[in-house]
Amino acid sequence: MSKVRIYTLAKDLGVDNHRLLDILDSLGVSYKSVSSTLDEDTVEAIKGILAEEGASPASSAASPTPGSPAADSPVPNQSAQTPALSQTQPRKDDVTPTAASIAPAAPSTTSQSGVAVQEAPPVQAAEIPHRSPVVTIMGHVDHGKTSLLDYIRKTKVAAKEAGGITQHVGAFEAQTSKGRIVFIDTPGHEAFTTIRARGANVADIAIIVVAADDSIMPQTREAIAHAQAAKVPLIVAINKIDLPQADVERVKTDLTTVNLVPEEYGGDTVVVPVSAKTGEGVEDLLEYISLTAELEDLRADPRGVFGGVIIESKVDKQSGVLATVMVQQGTVHVGDFLVVGETYGKIKAMTDSAGERIKSAGPSTPVQVLGFSEAPVSGDKVASASNEHQAREKVADRVDTRRTVEEARQKRRMSLEEMMGPLSEVREVNLILRADTQGSVEAIQGILSKRETEAVHLNVMLAGIGAPTEGDVLLASTAEATILCFSVTASGAVKKVADQKGVDLKSFRIIYELIDEVDRLIKGNIEPVFEEKYLGRAEVRMLIKHPRSGTIAGSYVTDGSLKRNAKAKVTRGRQVVYEGTIVGLKRFKDDVREVQTGYECGINLDWNDVQEGDIIEASEMVEVAQV
């Protein structure tokens, strides 16, 4: 018997992937993901355990255990969904499975006396229905993102786009052999980096498309950085494997340079070779999407509080303002009031991704909404309001909050300690590098790797050639990163956006100045250690009364030196009578910063009870250099 993948074995045995992973953990078998392979002995051991538990394939399929996904609710993204189930759950509404409909599955508990007690069970995560995964497809221009989506949906979207290149973010539903999947097709051109970032933040899974004949390109690196910043699972699809010049192994090797190590190389990145032209490998890609969604355990309550996000918006000459909303939780209906940013609107009409009119939409459903008076900003969160009055109140509260934040931002900016968390943890300093040549980029990265400490890790999220773009600023804003430029200068528009977003954007012409800035960032993330350093002492020989300064101690410096603003300790006999600060030093009538041994001076303390014969000892706190 040859080796078998975990998810294939789970399907053959009729058990859940999570259950199979638990068994592997109990056996002490190591694995990286559900796509890892198992040998014949391990498979036989698993079958033996399932046989002992009475979890045969027949019984597992016929009577699922309580609490399992099969018993809780139908999983829309699994291939087990039958045509009959699809007919009883129309795709338009897609809100049939609810927590209320699932609650009767475990309606009662048994008391200690053995009497069944009817009670309303609390809403738990397992009772919330599964939802369809939202997948974003990202990558470099002309690497075949839209063509891959075309093949999956069996429609021709690329032909409708100007020049065959996607110019906007589109959200589409697709009924695949693995169930319903929502795809977000994001533009791959460099000019649309900001739009692509919003797509990554909306999605549950990111598909990075890389052409087999072109490998990793600049926009590919940016797409990976945005997906990682959004903290979503990544699947790499190597497209165009049907071309004669395709080199899949080269792409896999290049992926390691951007910290994506394929599973075949011992990493945990799923890499699937596909062809959008012939369809080779597409079913495998859908299988991995389904498995990833199952492991992520995506759930949303259709009867919960509505929440969504704006994918895109436009002004139609005939209809008016049209906004594409991705429903993330709850259900939205025609007639509802929606609040986006500092504007609101009432839904007059709503259409699905196929252009058909619908009256309601549940989680993981993209809908086009008519009813806003102003075009909302893409990426903004959408909330609902019970009536127009409540909608206006929400908008007024957001305006007040924005003004309060702007006023606070003018007064003070967040410190690195506040942004990076507790000082006791190992913290990251996120950086985006831009340089004039590839050689400069590599040299700077090499130097930065040597500047890391045990307490601070330098994370170069993106490194490229040329001036920084608005997309870099957006990424820096979401990831709280600093943009460092070497021998390149940002445009006025980019600097303006950086100021608006509160992003640090700094340009350098000398490499040592850039390194000094990095050292300052590292230093800002390490708790400083101070120690008290002795400076010197002086003997008080006379007292001078001053109408404004109070008592001035005429003194003689017997050892070391005294400095203005240094800490002062006054000793009288063997007793310390005062500890404070030297607020002033005078030599005759002149104010001085320091007085050396053997000189007389006037010492002004923030204390007026000094006496002749007292000894004033000065010290200062100095930072101890940390290795």
Side-chain angles (χ1 to χ4, degrees), residues 98 213 272 300 323 429 461 468 511 604:
T98 62
D213 63 333
V272 186
V429 176
M461 303 190 65
I511 188 65
N604 188 12

Side-chain angles (χ1 to χ4, degrees), residues 602-624:
I603 303 174
N604 188 12
L605 304 171
D606 50 355
W607 182 60
N608 291 323
D609 294 334
V610 63
Q611 297 180 7
E612 292 184 11
D614 289 347
I615 301 298
I616 300 176
E617 186 176 298
S619 63
E620 64 179 354
M621 300 300 294
V622 295
E623 184 177 352
V624 179

Side-chain angles (χ1 to χ4, degrees), residues 347-405:
I347 301 178
K348 300 176 182 177
M350 192 162 54
T351 58
D352 62 10
S353 60
E356 299 178 5
R357 287 290 183 97
I358 57 175
K359 294 184 178 180
S360 63
S364 297
T365 304
V367 291
Q368 193 173 67
V369 172
L370 172 65
F372 288 102
S373 57
E374 300 178 3
V377 179
S378 299
D380 278 359
K381 294 289 184 180
V382 186
S384 62
S386 57
N387 51 51
E388 186 174 4
H389 177 70
Q390 187 185 45
R392 288 181 176 178
E393 284 186 343
K394 284 188 176 183
V395 171
D397 290 342
R398 292 184 179 186
V399 172
D400 292 340
T401 301
R402 175 180 56 82
R403 290 174 178 172
T404 302
V405 171

Side-chain angles (χ1 to χ4, degrees), residues 17 115 122 161 163 188 191 209 258 319 330 386 529 553 560 574 618:
N17 284 321
V115 179
E161 302 288 352
V209 178
V258 290
S319 303
S386 57
V529 177
R574 295 184 178 182

Side-chain angles (χ1 to χ4, degrees), residues 506-539:
K506 301 179 180 180
S507 299
F508 303 91
R509 293 289 178 182
I510 303 175
I511 188 65
Y512 300 108
E513 294 179 354
L514 186 148
I515 301 304
D516 289 343
E517 177 62 26
V518 173
D519 288 339
R520 281 191 288 270
L521 290 173
I522 295 176
K523 188 177 180 180
N525 282 272
I526 299 177
E527 184 177 9
V529 177
F530 293 95
E531 67 178 10
E532 187 172 354
K533 177 184 177 182
Y534 169 79
L535 293 177
R537 63 170 56 89
E539 179 185 350

Side-chain angles (χ1 to χ4, degrees), residues 335-353:
D336 288 352
F337 283 90
L338 300 183
V339 180
V340 181
E342 297 180 4
T343 185
Y344 71 93
K346 181 180 180 181
I347 301 178
K348 300 176 182 177
M350 192 162 54
T351 58
D352 62 10
S353 60

Side-chain angles (χ1 to χ4, degrees), residues 65-68 71-72 99-110 116-124 126-127:
T65 59
S68 66
D72 292 331
S101 65
I102 298 166
S108 63
T109 58
T110 304
V117 180
Q118 192 78 17
E119 62 180 18
V123 178
Q124 299 178 354
E127 295 177 332

